[in-house]
Amino acid sequence: MRAGAWTPMRRGPGATSGLPLAAAAALLLAGCSWLPGSRDAAVASLAAELPRHEVVLLGEVHDNAQGHRLRLQALTRAVRAGWRPAIAMEQFDRERQADLDRALRTCTTADCVIQAAAPAKTGWDWAHYRPVLDLALREKLPVVAANLSRADAGTVMKQGPGALFDTHEVRRLGLLSPPPDLLAAQRKEVAEAHCGALPPSMLGGMAMAQLARDAVMAGAIAGAARVPGASARRPVVLLAGNGHIRRDIGVPRWLEPGTILSVGYTERPAAPGAYDRDIVIPPAPREDPCKAFQVPGR
């Protein structure tokens, strides 16, 4: 399961937030949005804030269409107001950057870009990402292939970072000796994302693969910010699962200090310190993910 895995939250029929109006207003002031009437204000506020930061990390619950729409609205408003970021995307693997660059020069539709740079589709629901690519094509914004491929992540999981990266790259990425607290936190996240069903022997390798993904995404952001021949850095926005953009355990842990904004789009309020802004959205309808780990007859 990818980072940004969601946790189900039960809500009664017709419920909007499960909170009194006063509590919902307090959440909005703290950077959260719950009620339908507050979302326009939250989108406008976020759109105005995005250009103030060198790096913006916008999260997602991968299958929550409303979260994707709200994120796109804020991004579009900011771009139309003059913000010109590079858009780094988890949905494209790093080795497809040349294909992605070529497609952005020659394609006129998002489907053309997807076919050129992610021909295997890789399990993503591209309906959520076509509008982002349409925006990039229309506004001539760079798009960055930010992710470690599933195959490369599997190599790290089974054999460690040294099996994929040379010694210099392992050091540059910061994977030679990851902070113990970070590795422990990722082990916990992996265990919870898989409903506690994984054997402990698998957790360390899977946690290291998550760290490698975050480090690679941070490297992609740093690379996109550098513009040859320019003295100023280009702003970069990363679109990725909520788990990747968490300030406490995600990509920000691998970035150099700077003006970074992390915005979660979550289905229930996040823990304090996880994001700079936590925009809470209604849960998408789905089956209990833990059913996949249940043994029949138990």
Side-chain angles (χ1 to χ4, degrees):
M1 184 176 293
R2 294 187 178 94
W6 48 273
T7 303
M9 180 176 69
R10 297 187 181 277
R11 303 172 65 197
T16 54
S17 70
L19 292 180
L21 184 58
L27 278 172
L28 179 58
L29 290 174
C32 299
S33 172
W34 272 82
L35 299 178
S38 71
R39 289 200 179 99
D40 285 345
V43 166
S45 171
L46 179 58
E49 185 175 359
L50 297 183
R52 302 172 191 162
H53 302 271
E54 295 173 353
V55 175
V56 173
L57 312 174
L58 299 180
E60 64 183 63
V61 179
H62 296 312
D63 66 346
N64 191 305
Q66 183 159 348
H68 284 281
R69 283 194 297 270
L70 291 172
R71 182 176 68 177
L72 177 67
Q73 288 169 11
L75 179 60
T76 301
R77 284 196 192 196
V79 168
R80 287 178 176 170
W83 192 42
R84 312 304 295 171
I87 302 176
M89 297 181 66
E90 177 189 359
Q91 291 69 38
F92 293 106
D93 296 337
R94 59 183 184 142
E95 61 266 26
R96 304 310 298 255
Q97 187 64 58
D99 296 326
L100 186 55
D101 290 341
R102 186 164 48 252
L104 290 168
R105 290 194 303 269
T106 60
C107 288
T108 59
T109 67
D111 282 332
C112 173
V113 175
I114 294 164
Q115 183 59 42
K121 303 299 183 185
T122 62
W124 297 102
D125 183 349
W126 288 101
H128 297 318
Y129 307 103
R130 287 190 188 97
V132 175
L133 295 172
D134 284 334
L135 177 66
L137 286 168
R138 186 168 60 249
E139 300 291 340
K140 301 189 184 318
L141 299 176
V143 179
V144 180
N147 203 3
L148 193 66
S149 71
R150 184 182 296 270
D152 285 350
T155 297
V156 173
M157 180 181 72
K158 295 172 185 175
Q159 303 176 54
L164 180 64
F165 307 108
D166 62 31
T167 302
H168 172 75
E169 189 73 355
V170 170
R171 290 182 181 276
R172 187 187 69 80
L173 290 171
L175 295 171
L176 184 63
S177 182
D181 69 306
L182 187 54
L183 190 56
Q186 286 289 6
R187 284 176 61 99
K188 182 175 181 289
E189 289 296 310
V190 169
E192 291 179 356
H194 293 81
C195 307
L198 295 179
S201 59
M202 291 185 65
L203 298 180
M206 294 184 73
M208 183 59 77
Q210 287 299 95
L211 296 186
R213 278 196 172 106
D214 289 340
V216 165
M217 289 187 196
I221 290 170
R226 294 189 292 269
V227 181
S231 57
R233 293 166 63 85
R234 176 167 49 202
V236 183
V237 55
L238 172 68
L239 308 184
N242 286 323
H244 288 301
I245 70 153
R246 281 178 53 170
R247 271 199 169 273
D248 52 349
I249 64 171
V251 170
R253 289 287 297 263
W254 304 92
L255 290 170
E256 293 185 3
T259 57
I260 301 169
L261 177 69
S262 173
V263 183
Y265 286 83
T266 65
E267 293 185 341
R268 63 180 183 179
Y275 311 105
D276 298 305
R277 281 197 180 203
D278 183 21
I279 298 177
V280 184
I281 53 180
R286 60 175 77 87
E287 290 188 358
D288 180 356
C290 292
K291 285 178 63 176
F293 298 99
Q294 294 173 356
V295 178
R298 290 190 180 180

